[in-house]
Amino acid sequence: QEMKLFTVMFSYLLLLGLYTPPSLSDSPPLQDMCPMAPQDERKLFMNGYLCKHPSTILASDFKTLLLNHAGKLDNMVRSSANIVTAAEFPGLNTLGMSMARTDIDSYGIVLPHSHPRASEMMFVHDGSVLAGFFDTTGKLFQKRLCEGDVFIFPRGLVHFIMNYGLRLATTFSVLNSQNPGVVGITHAMFAPDSDVVEGLVARMMKFREMEIPDNKTTDFPWTY
């Protein structure tokens, strides 16, 4: 009798685990890591940010001027990327999104990077760009984009952007996390002005010369 009861209970718990609604599961993390603090060191630290009291919420909480102006382009890669998250724009808190503005001068480039917690939808506002990403097998997906075009960078995949024209290019993006994170593939290991980064920029500029038909992809041309 006890064995039968145990079997029924075990089956019930197994089914409960398989069919638990997503709303009852753990929320995805909003920072890179979160080890438990020792009990004597614990202070309030949330996976996100505390909300304002409803009586103090203002319309200004939902407006930002942080993407109004181009960033500084006087650097080796001739580009600037500005990501606005809930940390800078209070109205984004709990909405699961952030925004970005990217400005790229002629022959400029945004070096390969990834967002571990978000996919990115990019809209070309001015100029023309070459945008691409690599899947987990190293295959390259890239397209030339003009004003009004939209391109998607899937979550966690390494991607890049470069100016394809002769004037300033500007893009705006929406990312589906209030803290998407940025992992710079080169800057994580090398100084921004190192010979390695300079060599990578020179090699990636060869992507401008590549013609990839709409229904084709290619491998990363390190040896081109």
Side-chain angles (χ1 to χ4, degrees):
Q1 184 71 19
E2 291 182 359
M3 180 59 70
K4 185 176 181 180
L5 179 62
F6 173 80
T7 302
V8 172
M9 288 294 295
F10 179 78
S11 300
Y12 173 77
L13 291 173
L14 180 61
L15 288 172
L16 183 64
L18 290 174
Y19 293 101
T20 299
S23 60
L24 299 181
S25 62
D26 290 343
S27 298
L30 291 176
Q31 55 268 338
D32 292 332
M33 58 202 73
C34 187
M36 185 182 70
Q39 189 167 1
D40 59 344
E41 297 180 10
R42 289 180 193 172
K43 297 179 181 179
L44 182 62
F45 189 87
M46 299 181 63
N47 186 28
Y49 301 100
L50 287 170
C51 299
K52 295 178 67 175
H53 191 279
S55 64
T56 66
I57 296 176
L58 304 172
S60 58
D61 292 328
F62 304 94
K63 176 183 177 179
T64 182
L65 304 177
L66 294 175
L67 301 181
N68 278 18
H69 304 290
K72 296 182 179 180
L73 305 177
D74 55 345
N75 51 64
M76 189 182 72
V77 293
R78 301 169 63 87
S79 68
S80 171
N82 179 24
I83 297 182
V84 177
T85 69
E88 298 85 25
F89 187 8
L92 291 175
N93 194 35
T94 75
L95 298 184
M97 66 174 68
S98 53
M99 305 176 298
R101 172 177 178 151
T102 303
D103 297 286
I104 314 173
D105 207 351
S106 178
Y107 289 94
I109 184 173
V110 176
L111 290 173
H113 63 282
S114 66
H115 304 292
R117 292 181 290 274
S119 298
E120 176 179 356
M121 182 170 65
M122 182 185 72
F123 168 78
V124 181
H125 182 264
D126 285 308
S128 61
V129 300
L130 189 69
F133 65 87
F134 306 95
D135 68 9
T136 54
T137 68
K139 193 166 291 295
L140 170 63
F141 298 78
Q142 78 170 31
K143 289 298 299 177
R144 178 186 174 186
L145 309 174
C146 299
E147 293 179 10
D149 289 347
V150 173
F151 196 73
I152 299 291
F153 300 118
R155 175 179 177 174
L157 295 187
V158 175
H159 56 279
F160 64 90
I161 318 166
M162 65 178 68
N163 192 324
Y164 199 80
L166 298 176
R167 63 186 178 92
L168 178 69
T170 300
T171 70
F172 291 93
S173 298
V174 175
L175 300 97
N176 63 340
S177 170
Q178 72 177 51
N179 185 18
V182 180
V183 179
I185 306 305
T186 52
H187 291 175
M189 297 182 290
F190 308 104
D193 57 350
S194 71
D195 292 340
V196 174
V197 176
E198 187 175 353
L200 176 61
V201 171
R203 284 180 177 271
M204 293 194 66
M205 282 300 171
K206 295 182 179 180
F207 286 18
R208 291 166 54 98
E209 305 165 9
M210 296 173 56
E211 292 293 336
I212 303 178
D214 286 343
N215 60 341
K216 299 290 184 181
T217 60
T218 186
D219 293 320
F220 192 30
W222 286 118
T223 57
Y224 283 24

